[in-house]
Amino acid sequence: MKNTAATESRVSTYLLDNCAPEARARFAALEVLFDPGTIRHLNGCGVAPGWTCLEVGAGGGSIAKWLVDRVGVTGHVVATDIEPRFLEALRGDPNIEVRRHNIVNDPLPEAAFDLVHTRLVLVHLPERDRVLERLIAALKPGGWIITEEFDTFSVPSRPLVDGADSVLTVHTAMTQLLTEHGANGHWARLLFGRLRTLGLTGVEVEGRIFMARAGSPGLALMRANYEQLHGEMIATGYITRREFDVGLERLNGADFVMTLPILWAAWGRRP
Ligand SMILES: C[S@@+](CC[C@H](N)C(=O)[O-])C[C@H]1O[C@@H](n2cnc3c(N)ncnc32)[C@H](O)[C@@H]1O
């Protein structure tokens, strides 16, 4: 794979386009909220100098950057995204290759990587099961895959448990819209079984969950997503303009709390 802005990617159904003004806030929030746990998992797999790593859907690039620093001059990192504009700053590093690449159908080398990592990408792709098989095929024998995805299904907000624990109409509308565009809120829960069925060894799984509240990165993440998708949520009739405005206003409340989806991390090794 070369440092190139290839045009082979076909049209994507992904809605949270990185070209939108809200993308920067989304990536900043994802980094603060989830990078510490992701780095713990990467360390757990023993990522070391000299490793060759693939970061799929690298987004804001914080994990790609961490990998570049970890694998050092003897290692190599390939960071891909359908819209890699936030990865441009990483291109100067000699041991990284930034690639505009659609993981669904663009070429991917086989048996090439010591580590493949992806976070919050597969959940959006209707072809997620086939893509997971491709990612495993891209591993060298003995290589690790770590995939981290949202489960919007298992632990929803429950005002019955705590009156302040809110189910926002705007959140329900966004989930409906993303589902209509191919997202699957159940799939992350199945990852443990999937990795075992696909023949990996040492398969483990861990879920992380946070509350969104005023001033938290979780709330910043949700606000960025709601704001980016508000036009389509209203146009499709999932929510009215007024419901959207009321929902956004509730985010400002000092007592507002909302459970975020579980982020399941599942990992295993190619035999
Ligand atoms: C929710 S963001 C997560 C970004 C980053 N992985 C993180 O967790 O901070 C999803 C990323 O996947 C990228 N993406 C979506 N569909 C893709 C595809 N088919 N192939 C490669 N990247 C894709 C998006 O452009 C976006 O950068």
Side-chain angles (χ1 to χ4, degrees):
M1 295 169 93
K2 296 202 191 77
N3 242 2
T4 167
T7 52
E8 57 219 344
S9 308
R10 294 192 206 139
V11 175
S12 159
T13 53
Y14 182 66
L15 273 185
L16 292 162
D17 186 358
N18 293 353
C19 299
E22 295 84 2
R24 190 173 294 281
R26 175 167 46 259
F27 291 138
L30 287 171
E31 178 178 346
V32 174
L33 198 55
F34 293 132
D35 278 13
T38 297
I39 289 167
R40 183 165 49 81
H41 293 312
L42 293 168
N43 278 324
C45 291
V47 185
W51 278 35
T52 302
C53 303
L54 173 64
E55 170 72 357
V56 175
S62 57
I63 292 299
K65 174 75 176 106
W66 185 89
L67 287 169
V68 164
D69 292 342
R70 172 53 61 94
V71 303
V73 288
T74 56
H76 188 64
V77 176
V78 178
T80 73
D81 206 291
I82 43 167
E83 177 40 70
R85 58 178 48 211
F86 291 95
L87 307 176
E88 292 303 323
L90 300 177
R91 277 193 198 272
D93 222 303
N95 62 345
I96 190 166
E97 181 184 326
V98 171
R99 190 166 164 88
R100 183 184 294 275
H101 181 272
N102 185 338
I103 194 59
V104 175
N105 45 37
D106 286 343
L108 193 65
E110 296 200 354
F113 298 99
D114 299 297
L115 170 87
V116 172
H117 172 255
T118 186
R119 189 175 75 192
L120 296 171
V121 180
L122 302 186
V123 69
H124 292 285
L125 308 177
E127 309 85 352
R128 57 189 70 79
D129 282 306
R130 187 164 58 77
V131 170
L132 185 61
E133 290 181 29
R134 295 190 83 202
L135 296 182
I136 291 171
L139 291 173
K140 295 176 185 172
W144 290 89
I145 183 168
I146 306 176
T147 178
E148 303 182 272
E149 299 295 341
F150 265 163
D151 165 1
T152 51
F153 177 73
S154 298
V155 185
S157 275
R158 291 229 187 276
L160 282 176
V161 179
D162 173 356
D165 190 345
S166 310
V167 183
L168 291 182
T169 312
V170 62
H171 189 82
T172 308
M174 183 179 76
T175 305
Q176 286 173 310
L177 184 67
L178 291 171
T179 304
E180 185 192 307
H181 282 257
N184 181 326
H186 304 83
W187 190 77
R189 176 86 179 248
L190 306 174
L191 267 171
F192 186 47
R194 285 278 196 283
L195 293 190
R196 289 194 297 182
T197 306
L198 291 168
L200 297 186
T201 61
V203 176
E204 296 290 349
V205 68
E206 181 187 294
R208 283 185 280 154
I209 187 161
F210 297 91
M211 284 292 203
R213 60 181 194 290
S216 70
L219 195 105
L221 172 64
M222 287 303 151
R223 185 190 295 279
N225 292 351
Y226 301 152
E227 288 181 345
Q228 183 166 345
L229 298 182
H230 85 273
E232 275 169 275
M233 288 192 273
I234 293 168
T236 49
Y238 286 132
I239 196 167
T240 63
R241 175 83 229 184
R242 168 141 181 77
E243 286 169 325
F244 177 80
D245 291 342
V246 168
L248 267 267
E249 188 50 41
R250 284 195 62 197
L251 298 183
N252 299 325
D255 63 340
F256 174 83
V257 288
M258 184 177 85
T259 49
L260 291 181
I262 301 173
L263 185 76
W264 289 108
W267 60 94
R269 244 180 143 174
R270 188 171 177 185

